[in-house]
Amino acid sequence: MSCADCFRGSIHDGEPTGTEEIIHGTRTYVAPPDTAASSQSTIIFVTDAFGFNLVNSKILADIYASRTGFRVLVPDIIPGGGVPLSSLALMETAIAPVAWWNIYGQIRRVVTVLRMMTIFIPFAIRTRGVFPSLLAYARAVKADLPAGAKLGAAGFCWGGLQTTKLTEQAAIVGGSKPLIDAHFTAHPAGMKPEQFIESYRRFRVPLSIAVGDQDFVLSKDNVATIEAGFREEYGEGTNMSYEIKLYAGCGHGFAVRADEKKTVENKGAQQATSQAVTWFKNLL
């Protein structure tokens, strides 16, 4: 979580249509497909740092379920809950231009940054050890799937790191078959370019990445490094092996927190949704 854009964005209008249940001991938002699914496959959707506090993730999970025909599970895995929505306003205050001579404005900015630190530092500390719980959850979900069903993973921002780590894991401890059958991540945070390549190495789980060309967490240069590394080690991305799409005019967080009033950003979010839906429909 290294940039202001990790905590910026818009709260979307709408009401989630799914339900909350306890699945494998974890509170989970369940987005079922609109009609009887032709497949029993499931997608695990790992949110950004806002977790269940931001309705956008649940609404997006509903869209995934409706358009793919698969069940989508959003586990509440952040200990103590996600970052509060008040962080959105705090971040806007912190980054707003302030003239050097505006003493009140400068003091307000300092106070705001201090308030933000009391939110973000505890979040970073309490989420350090979250992955084992997510792994256990994902393995339990996989084990419960009927014969022939597959498991996808979709991760956003903070959640992109978590789902990428899932793709390195076997379905069972010591096993040889992958836990995840298809992976989509939008503007993942907390990863260096080489980590994507290394994570892909064990099982080569089909990977689709969506990134904005104004993303300061995963920059255009980093995206180019990732693409070059994949081509060098694995060849061209064909036969649904991997793909990386760059969205013009979009910054970090756009796939989940795009301002619906900003035409370019909102269009990018819609295209990233279609990217994920197509990926999962072709692979699960």
Side-chain angles (χ1 to χ4, degrees):
M1 313 303 296
S2 57
C3 114
D5 284 350
C6 291
F7 306 100
R8 297 180 66 195
S10 173
I11 301 172
H12 294 172
D13 294 328
E15 292 293 332
T17 57
T19 59
E20 288 190 12
E21 304 175 19
I22 301 299
I23 296 179
H24 303 300
T26 300
R27 183 169 70 129
T28 301
Y29 179 77
V30 181
D34 290 341
T35 57
S38 59
S39 168
Q40 296 300 308
S41 294
T42 289
I43 299 168
I44 293 178
F45 181 122
V46 184
T47 70
D48 58 18
F50 290 94
F52 274 31
N53 293 332
L54 187 65
V55 72
N56 303 17
S57 292
K58 293 179 180 179
I59 293 172
L60 186 56
D62 289 339
I63 295 172
Y64 278 23
S66 174
R67 292 178 56 183
T68 63
F70 307 138
R71 178 182 63 159
V72 179
L73 304 179
V74 188
D76 183 17
I77 62 168
I78 300 176
V83 171
L85 295 183
S86 60
S87 305
L88 295 171
L90 288 174
M91 187 58 71
E92 292 301 327
T93 299
I95 65 174
V98 179
W100 65 267
W101 44 261
N102 185 345
I103 297 176
Y104 171 77
Q106 296 292 349
I107 292 174
R108 185 186 183 201
R109 170 178 283 176
V110 170
V111 171
T112 299
V113 170
L114 291 174
R115 287 180 62 191
M116 287 162 45
M117 298 302 288
T118 67
I119 294 172
F120 304 151
I121 291 177
F123 172 83
I125 292 173
R126 70 177 184 266
T127 55
R128 283 180 180 173
V130 75
F131 182 71
S133 297
L134 174 62
L135 175 58
Y137 177 90
R139 280 177 167 160
V141 170
K142 178 89 168 188
D144 275 354
L145 294 179
K150 297 180 179 180
L151 182 62
F156 303 84
C157 300
W158 173 84
L161 169 61
Q162 311 307 320
T163 53
T164 299
K165 290 165 68 175
L166 284 179
T167 65
E168 303 172 15
Q169 303 297 320
I172 61 174
V173 178
S176 59
K177 294 183 178 181
L179 170 62
I180 302 300
D181 298 295
H183 180 212
F184 169 80
T185 180
H187 36 75
M191 296 181 64
K192 297 179 180 179
E194 57 267 24
Q195 288 178 272
F196 292 95
I197 301 167
E198 293 170 0
S199 294
Y200 187 79
R201 185 170 289 137
R202 182 175 182 190
F203 290 114
R204 298 199 181 187
V205 174
L207 169 63
S208 179
I209 304 176
V211 188
D213 68 349
Q214 297 179 14
D215 192 324
F216 293 102
V217 177
L218 193 62
S219 67
K220 288 192 293 185
D221 288 343
N222 283 338
V223 170
T225 298
I226 294 169
E227 288 183 306
F230 269 88
R231 284 196 301 269
E232 180 179 352
E233 187 156 349
Y234 309 114
E236 294 293 336
T238 56
N239 298 320
M240 305 301 291
S241 56
Y242 69 86
E243 67 175 11
I244 303 172
K245 294 189 177 183
L246 199 63
Y247 290 89
C250 295
H252 188 72
F254 78 98
V256 180
R257 304 189 302 273
D259 187 338
E260 295 173 311
K261 296 178 182 178
K262 295 181 178 179
T263 302
V264 172
E265 190 175 70
N266 191 45
K267 181 179 179 181
Q270 294 173 354
Q271 291 174 334
T273 296
S274 295
Q275 176 184 338
V277 167
T278 299
W279 193 251
F280 287 127
K281 287 183 71 174
N282 285 333
L283 289 164
L284 299 183

